[in-house]
Amino acid sequence: MKRHGLPAVLTWLCAAALLAAGCSSGSREGGTSGDSAPPSSASSPASPLPAPTGRDTGEVNRDDVNGDGHADVVVNGWYRQPKNSGKWRNNRFVALASPGGPDPAAAFRLSERFAAPDPKVVSAPFSLDSSVQFTGDLDDDGHADIVVRAPRADGRGRLTDHQFVVWGGPEGPVGATELPPGAHRAAAVGDFDGDGALDLLTLAPASSEYDLKPQPATVLHGPLDRDGGTPRTTTESDVGHGGWVPVSHVLAGDFDGDGRDDLLTMAEYGEEDVRFEEKGIEDVEDAHFHRGTPQGLREAGTVPGITGRLPGYAAIPHAVGDFDGDGRDDVLARPREGGGLVVVPGGAKGLGRGRGPVALEGVRTSYVRAPAVGDLNGDGRDDVALRTPGKDRRVGRVTVLLGGPGGLDDGRATVIDRYAIGLDGKPAHPGDRDFFGRDLHIADLDTDGRAELLIGTFGFNQPRKEAGYWILSGTESGPSTTDRRFVATKDFGG
């Protein structure tokens, strides 16, 4: 998705909303899919704003934190504390793009300045925060800002999320605004009204099966003010259809190519959800396309290729990118049944309403976790990197799919593991894993027009190798397995 320039927003992660959203007047129980009433709108008081840049130029900055014209990448890394301590340390950092490649020492550590987890929470990174941050110039000052979450432990040891917007600046991040506790989680950044200023979308928790209530999605229209993160105005709509559609996945992208970002919502039901015992559930679909308009998001029907109605049959959306280069964003999803992948193309009438869904039979996976999206070979089309299982699940494996005129091509899939890049070592016992590919990022960090692939790994337990990232250079055929270097997580920003 070249217009966005950033790996797609992933849904289960990220941050909290800036305002607690109320219920939309357009909410309903049951009913059929289709256009809904326009979302209601409410204004919020605004503090003085910086001079607008994105609206003047028609461009928005989605990933350039220091404003030098090159996209940067935000990484949430973990590494083991000094030898034999058994503790883990968080290093959430911004790797700044630079001709010739990033300088690890010049990376900006967010954890130490703005968003460090509670010191008590150090037992293992997997039980803590492994979220992927998302970025965008939310205050319209020409520098991309970063929305992050950081878990903190209360007096009883329970984890709660603290949410921040870390503001970008010429030398890197310059300050942060902590979002109100208990506010709804932010789920996406996009220009939903097409005014040239990025907006922040927040999503209320899904209704329980026993307590049906609206689930508002609120667009906090930018620019946001740094003093409390006050938006210019807000619009909201009930994406949960009065509690009948418990939305758990959302992705933003310009799926119809009109220059405004749209929203895909996907519900998730349990196998024995009591909602299926009610008469109205038969008329409710689980995946919906919400078109961006100058007045806010407007529901515009279901999404062929993703909707499934019944548990076990729908596809779970995971990533957004313009894989075929037609100027409309597409969605990569995984069907709940079968273990493969499917691409749902964008179209002028909406997501999945032009060219039909395309199954990627050459890639078999039972899970998809935080795929990375970007242009690895510089052809103007987005590519994808994702973890896929191998014969020995203890050895991590990454599969790269390149975009093309027909979209992602599973016939040209490249598989990369530790041995493909010249590493040795093997599992020491049945439970030993190297976690190669546990964290993936795609960004043009050397500014040559072809993005690098960052592959996170912890190494095998015996002996424990340093946690870090392999940086594979982008080439015309994809990521290079020979032109690569390793940087320890602890050395970024060191």
Side-chain angles (χ1 to χ4, degrees):
M1 77 192 199
K2 296 318 301 162
R3 191 175 62 83
H4 296 255
L6 208 226
V9 176
L10 299 175
T11 57
W12 56 273
L13 40 97
C14 293
L18 300 181
L19 299 176
C23 301
S24 168
S25 60
S27 64
R28 56 178 175 150
E29 294 184 357
T32 57
S33 300
D35 287 354
S36 64
S40 59
S41 176
S43 296
S44 301
S47 300
L49 299 171
T53 57
R55 288 173 295 171
D56 289 345
T57 64
E59 299 291 335
V60 291
N61 178 357
R62 298 178 186 260
D63 43 25
D64 180 6
V65 176
N66 61 355
D68 65 354
H70 303 295
D72 308 306
V73 64
V74 184
V75 179
N76 188 7
W78 291 84
Y79 62 95
R80 197 177 286 275
Q81 289 274 43
K83 214 170 185 180
N84 301 323
S85 70
K87 304 297 183 181
W88 289 84
R89 182 182 178 91
N90 180 237
N91 184 12
R92 193 189 310 260
F93 61 89
V94 182
L96 301 173
S98 176
D103 176 6
F108 196 98
R109 289 197 175 198
L110 298 180
S111 298
E112 296 178 354
R113 301 257 325 252
F114 302 120
D118 191 295
K120 299 175 185 176
V121 188
V122 291
S123 58
F126 304 108
S127 61
L128 310 177
D129 175 23
S130 58
S131 67
V132 179
Q133 282 53 248
F134 55 90
T135 62
D137 183 7
L138 293 172
D139 60 355
D140 204 26
D141 71 343
H143 305 92
D145 311 305
I146 308 162
V147 183
V148 300
R149 59 179 284 257
R152 305 285 176 89
D154 61 16
R156 299 181 181 180
R158 296 174 300 190
L159 296 181
T160 58
D161 282 345
H162 288 241
Q163 321 293 342
F164 302 83
V165 176
V166 180
W167 308 104
E171 305 299 326
V174 295
T177 297
E178 183 168 3
L179 308 181
H184 298 155
R185 286 191 177 186
V189 166
D191 183 7
F192 298 105
D193 53 13
D195 68 348
L198 286 175
D199 314 312
L200 179 65
L201 181 134
T202 70
L203 180 68
S207 172
S208 77
E209 56 189 299
Y210 300 103
D211 181 22
L212 299 183
K213 58 183 180 181
Q215 185 181 6
T218 303
V219 177
L220 298 110
H221 294 273
L224 274 60
D225 180 55
R226 291 189 179 188
D227 183 13
T230 307
R232 174 175 56 83
T233 189
T234 64
T235 58
E236 65 183 38
S237 57
D238 175 24
V239 296
H241 292 260
W244 292 96
V245 184
V247 172
S248 57
H249 304 275
V250 296
L251 288 177
D254 184 5
F255 303 120
D256 56 10
D258 67 353
R260 291 184 288 265
D261 283 307
D262 313 303
L263 188 71
L264 163 65
T265 62
M266 178 68 195
E268 192 160 340
Y269 297 93
E271 291 289 344
E272 299 181 359
D273 196 302
V274 299
R275 277 171 281 222
F276 287 102
E277 301 174 5
E278 301 292 335
K279 183 177 180 180
I281 193 66
E282 296 180 0
D283 296 325
V284 174
E285 300 280 3
D286 49 12
H288 292 85
F289 167 65
H290 305 260
R291 178 172 281 114
T293 76
Q295 293 76 38
L297 292 171
R298 181 186 179 94
E299 188 175 318
T302 57
V303 183
I306 293 181
T307 189
R309 264 191 204 181
L310 298 176
Y313 292 94
I316 304 173
H318 286 286
V320 171
D322 184 4
F323 305 124
D324 53 13
D326 67 351
R328 302 182 182 101
D329 284 330
D330 315 306
V331 169
L332 177 69
R334 178 181 64 82
R336 296 183 191 274
E337 300 290 337
L341 294 172
V342 62
V343 174
V344 181
K349 295 183 178 180
L351 185 61
R353 297 187 175 274
R355 189 160 55 94
V358 179
L360 302 178
E361 300 293 346
V363 182
R364 310 298 295 174
T365 179
S366 57
Y367 62 87
V368 175
R369 181 177 181 272
V373 176
D375 186 2
L376 290 163
N377 58 358
D379 68 350
R381 304 178 181 93
D382 281 321
D383 313 307
V384 172
L386 66 157
R387 285 184 65 188
T388 52
K391 292 182 179 180
D392 187 344
R393 291 178 178 265
R394 298 175 298 176
V395 179
R397 191 172 77 162
V398 176
T399 295
V400 175
L401 300 172
L402 297 180
L408 294 178
D409 185 356
D410 52 344
R412 294 191 296 155
T414 299
V415 177
I416 303 171
D417 60 14
R418 64 185 297 110
Y419 307 120
I421 60 174
L423 299 180
D424 56 10
K426 60 183 180 179
H429 52 77
D432 193 11
R433 297 189 180 191
D434 66 352
F435 295 101
F436 186 89
R438 64 166 292 273
D439 188 24
L440 298 170
H441 299 271
I442 294 176
D444 184 10
L445 294 177
D446 61 5
T447 72
D448 69 349
R450 296 185 293 268
E452 281 64 57
L453 173 61
L454 280 70
I455 302 177
T457 180
F458 285 149
F460 291 120
N461 281 309
Q462 300 295 332
R464 166 64 66 181
K465 301 296 184 182
E466 276 195 303
Y469 291 83
W470 284 95
I471 304 177
L472 279 58
S473 296
T475 73
E476 292 183 357
S477 57
S480 172
T481 57
T482 56
D483 184 5
R484 77 276 189 272
R485 63 170 169 153
F486 178 80
V487 180
T489 303
K490 66 180 178 61
D491 292 337
F492 282 102

